[in-house]
Amino acid sequence: LGPGGLESKLPFLDARTAHRHVFLLGKGHMSALPCETWWSRPAGLLKRAVRVAYSPQFNATKDELRERGVPAGPLGPFLYDDVDVSAAIASDPEADDSAFPHLVTAPYASSFHRSVAETARPPWADPLRPRPFRAVFYGNVASHETHPYARARGPAAAQCIDAPDCKVVDPTARNNASALCGAEAAYGSATFCLQPGGDTPYRKGLYDALLMGCIPVVFGRHNAEVSPWFVPSGSMVVLSAADFVEGRARLMDRLRARGPRARVGKRPTTES
C-alpha cells in the first residue's frame, strides 16, 4: 500500500468517522489473517472500522480451546454443540482490541437470484409448493470425508441414502451431468435441506436452501450463530453434530417427527 499504509488512502478517515468505514471480505474471516495493517490486529483508527465476512471470530484461539479440552481448528471447535462453550468463547463485536475488531457476519452470495419481473409467489413464501422428499442432501461426501469440520457429513449422507424420503444429489458425480446446475431443483423438492460441514463449517447452501423455501438442517452451532441480521429466527433445525459422529442419532426419524407442514421460519431452531 506504500508509505502511510491504508490510512493514507482514506481521505475521510478521522476519529469521528473511523467507525463508519467498512471492510468487506468475500471469504471466511481467517482468509485475510496476514493483512495485519487493516484486517487482523490493526493499529490506530482502523481498529474502529467495521469488518464483514462469512464467519465469526471467537475470543479463544484453537490452542486455547484445546487446552480446555475442546478439539478445534482456525474456525473454532470441530464439534460445536455445547451452549456453555458457545457463551464462553463468544467475541464482543464492539471491542477495539480483538483480533478482528468489530467483525460481523453476512451470508454467502447465493446462486439464486429472483427477477423483479417475476409475478409468481417466491419459493420461500409458497406453502403449497410440491415437495416430494422429506429431506435432500446436495453435496459431495468423499472429498471432505477426512476433514475435521466434516465429521457429521458422512453419517448424515449415509442415513439419507438409506431413507426412501431423502434424496442425495452429488454435483460432482460423473454420471450426473446436470447436477452442477441442479441445486435449485434439489432444494425445491424437499422440506428439509441437510447442511453438514465440509472444508469449513460454514455453508453457502444454507442460504440457497432458505431462498428455495427449504429448512436448513445444520449439525452443531456454527451456522446457527452467523448472519443474525439476515437469517430469521426459527429458520433452521440445529442438531447435535456429536450425536451423528458417535452414531446416536437417527436423522430421518427426527425430521419426520416435525410434522407434515414444516416450513421456513415456522419451526424451533434447536433440538435438545
Side-chain angles (χ1 to χ4, degrees):
L1 294 174
L6 182 60
E7 289 195 29
S8 67
K9 314 296 182 184
L10 301 173
F12 300 105
L13 179 68
D14 58 34
R16 183 177 59 87
T17 65
H19 69 287
R20 298 172 64 182
H21 286 69
V22 180
F23 299 128
L24 305 176
L25 180 66
K27 291 283 186 180
H29 72 286
M30 293 296 290
S31 298
L33 181 64
C35 303
E36 294 184 345
T37 59
W38 61 275
W39 181 260
S40 66
R41 303 192 183 282
L45 291 175
L46 293 183
K47 282 187 174 182
R48 303 183 191 177
V50 175
R51 290 154 182 81
V52 182
Y54 297 152
S55 61
Q57 67 177 322
F58 298 109
N59 69 4
T61 66
K62 63 180 181 180
D63 292 330
E64 290 168 340
L65 287 169
R66 290 170 181 172
E67 289 175 1
R68 301 182 194 182
V70 179
L75 294 175
F78 293 138
L79 298 180
Y80 187 33
D81 299 320
D82 193 321
V83 294
D84 293 331
V85 170
S86 173
I89 66 176
S91 180
D92 180 4
E94 300 298 322
D96 286 351
D97 58 355
S98 62
F100 304 88
H102 305 285
L103 176 67
V104 297
T105 53
Y108 284 76
S110 174
S111 296
F112 307 144
H113 306 280
R114 181 175 169 81
S115 169
V116 295
E118 293 187 50
T119 58
R121 181 176 291 179
W124 63 85
D126 186 358
L128 301 179
R129 181 187 178 100
R131 295 185 182 272
F133 294 97
R134 191 63 177 163
V136 67
F137 173 57
Y138 180 82
N140 177 266
V141 178
S143 63
H144 300 297
E145 61 185 355
T146 61
H147 201 286
Y149 285 116
R151 292 176 64 192
R153 195 177 184 95
Q159 291 190 34
C160 180
I161 290 171
D162 289 340
D165 53 349
C166 191
K167 179 182 181 181
V168 173
V169 179
D170 184 348
T172 66
R174 289 185 178 182
N175 62 349
N176 193 355
S178 64
L180 286 170
C181 302
E184 180 178 1
Y187 290 145
S189 69
T191 301
F192 296 98
C193 290
L194 310 183
Q195 301 294 335
D199 54 345
T200 82
Y202 302 102
R203 312 314 306 152
K204 171 182 173 295
L206 184 150
Y207 306 103
D208 290 339
L210 286 171
L211 289 174
M212 289 305 299
C214 190
I215 302 170
V217 179
V218 299
F219 301 81
R221 303 189 58 81
H222 286 98
N223 290 281
E225 298 180 352
V226 296
S227 305
W229 297 349
F230 301 91
V231 179
S233 176
S235 293
M236 68 185 75
V237 174
V238 184
L239 301 179
S240 165
D243 281 354
F244 287 88
V245 170
E246 297 168 10
R248 297 192 300 265
R250 295 305 304 168
L251 172 65
M252 295 309 298
D253 289 346
R254 294 188 180 189
L255 298 184
R256 293 180 191 120
R258 290 179 172 268
R261 296 184 180 276
R263 60 189 179 93
V264 166
K266 297 297 183 182
R267 306 302 297 172
T269 55
T270 59
E271 178 176 305
S272 59

